[in-house]
Amino acid sequence: MIPVLRYRSLDPHTTRGAPRRPMPFPTFARHCGLIAASGRRPMTVSGYVASLGVSSAPKNPIVITFDDGGAETMNALRRLAEWGLTATVFVTSSRVGDPGYFHRADLHRIRGLGIEIGGSGHTGRPLNELARTDVIAELTLSRRRLAVATGDEPRTFAYPGGGYDLSVRQLVISAGYSSACAVRDVLSHPADDRFALARLTVDATTPDSRLLAWLEGVGRSEPHPAPPRGHAPRLPRVARSAGPFRPRLGRSELRLPGSAAASGAIAGATASPSPVHATATSASPDSTAGPDAPPSPHLTPSPDLTPSPDSAKNVAPVAPCTPGGISSADAAAGSVGAESETVRATARRER
């Protein structure tokens, strides 16, 4: 088990977020004595990651990190160097030079103490709450600004606030970083994700007994973490009950193979639901004009209009209607019936 300690700024006004009580300087000085007496080998984040899988790697390493800082943190780093310890300081690039924060001269002094400088975004906003283009801008600006300020590009990164997901992790890799630190508040181990190293937060309320237990490798650890997929919660799917099948019937145009005359006959038959109605609408003006013309079949049915046995064979059998309102058999029967009635009406007039 490898403790990766996370100290936040010892200055009261440099760390963004919820108000907190910074660690007093005498408390940090006492921690330095406990770490030096533990027998562990202090290493930077980049040095520790580079030693993974190497036979000459130290058996009992320890990694000390700082998130942001100012004048008080500079004094803590000097005390750390006096004890022969090293660390990695993660800097928010847009705040370099702000009142109470690191200045460019401070960054050069930090490098002169043998302490590594890493990136923590350009503005310090949690990356898992930003759009992809904003995450790329945060990583790019941070790396470029720190390279100009220190003369060397940072090799390690710390997720601001510990927030990250799979997309942010991949963008950190694409930006050129060789490692990254999360929070997770558990002990790390050699099989830990080098782009989400677990860190233990040490603050003013951490007792010395807990720190000594971490230095001895006693504490909770986790296997290789599965990065969260996003900050937005996923809603569970609601199962739909299987009800009765109800087809959606629409009116479709009926088309039969044939000539244009057949299409006209079908259009005329569609206006009437039976062959008798088709007879009345299909009869010529000569067959209905005059005093001898038979009454309309719509008003009074006549026995003379009853189909004869010879014409019954010309009537097509009834077929089920389509959603359009008429079947092809009804259309054909109406056309044939109209011709038969016209012939019979003409013969009666001649008699």
Side-chain angles (χ1 to χ4, degrees):
M1 297 294 101
I2 302 167
V4 181
L5 304 181
R6 175 193 177 227
Y7 287 92
R8 288 181 287 183
S9 172
L10 273 66
D11 302 82
H13 305 293
T14 54
T15 301
R16 297 181 180 180
R20 63 178 183 84
R21 181 163 62 95
M23 177 179 293
F25 182 80
T27 302
F28 178 77
R30 187 172 67 252
H31 288 186
C32 291
L34 295 177
I35 295 171
S38 65
R40 286 189 172 268
R41 169 75 179 276
M43 303 182 69
T44 63
V45 175
S46 298
Y48 165 68
V49 172
S51 68
L52 293 176
V54 180
S55 59
S56 59
K59 301 299 181 181
N60 52 351
I62 184 174
V63 180
I64 305 172
T65 65
F66 286 84
D67 288 356
D68 290 331
E72 288 295 326
T73 305
M74 277 296 305
N75 294 332
L77 295 177
R78 293 189 183 98
R79 177 58 61 88
L80 198 72
E82 292 175 0
W83 283 96
L85 304 176
T86 186
T88 298
V89 180
F90 295 104
V91 179
T92 304
S93 59
S94 66
R95 303 182 63 189
V96 174
D98 290 351
Y101 199 74
F102 289 133
H103 290 266
R104 182 172 294 189
D106 295 331
L107 300 182
H108 288 283
R109 294 189 185 100
I110 292 173
R111 287 175 57 86
L113 295 174
I115 296 175
E116 181 184 28
I117 295 178
S120 186
H122 183 61
T123 62
R125 294 178 295 174
L127 300 184
N128 60 330
E129 300 178 2
L130 303 179
R132 180 182 177 87
T133 54
D134 294 335
V135 174
I136 296 174
E138 287 279 336
L139 297 174
T140 304
L141 289 175
S142 173
R143 192 172 174 85
R144 290 179 179 177
R145 294 282 182 90
L146 292 179
V148 172
T150 62
D152 190 13
E153 291 185 346
R155 293 180 293 172
T156 185
F157 185 83
Y159 301 107
Y164 75 103
D165 53 29
L166 285 174
S167 177
V168 172
R169 178 183 180 276
Q170 184 59 43
L171 290 176
V172 169
I173 297 174
S174 302
Y177 291 99
S178 60
S179 60
C181 291
V183 179
R184 294 166 52 197
D185 286 324
V186 293
L187 289 168
S188 183
H189 49 83
D192 201 357
D193 184 4
R194 65 178 59 192
F195 288 97
L197 292 175
R199 291 192 294 171
L200 298 161
T201 301
V202 185
D203 54 21
T205 62
T206 303
D208 292 351
S209 59
R210 184 178 302 173
L211 178 61
L212 289 173
W214 289 340
L215 294 176
E216 294 176 1
V218 177
R220 190 168 60 94
S221 62
E222 292 179 353
H224 192 287
R229 295 186 177 276
H231 65 279
R234 294 179 178 269
L235 298 178
R237 293 185 178 181
V238 179
R240 297 181 178 179
S241 58
F245 174 71
R246 295 180 180 178
R248 298 176 59 187
L249 301 179
R251 298 187 62 85
S252 59
E253 182 182 358
L254 180 63
R255 295 185 179 181
L256 297 177
S259 60
S263 301
I266 294 173
T270 306
S272 175
S274 64
V276 177
H277 292 178
T279 302
T281 57
S282 302
S284 60
D286 297 337
S287 61
T288 57
D292 296 334
S296 172
H298 292 278
L299 302 177
T300 305
S302 174
D304 296 336
L305 297 179
T306 304
S308 62
D310 297 335
S311 62
K313 61 183 179 179
N314 296 326
V315 180
V318 178
C321 293
T322 63
I326 186 172
S327 64
S328 58
D330 291 339
S335 178
V336 175
E339 296 178 359
S340 301
E341 294 299 333
T342 303
V343 173
R344 288 200 299 275
T346 304
R348 285 197 300 273
R349 254 196 332 272
E350 291 178 356
R351 288 197 300 269

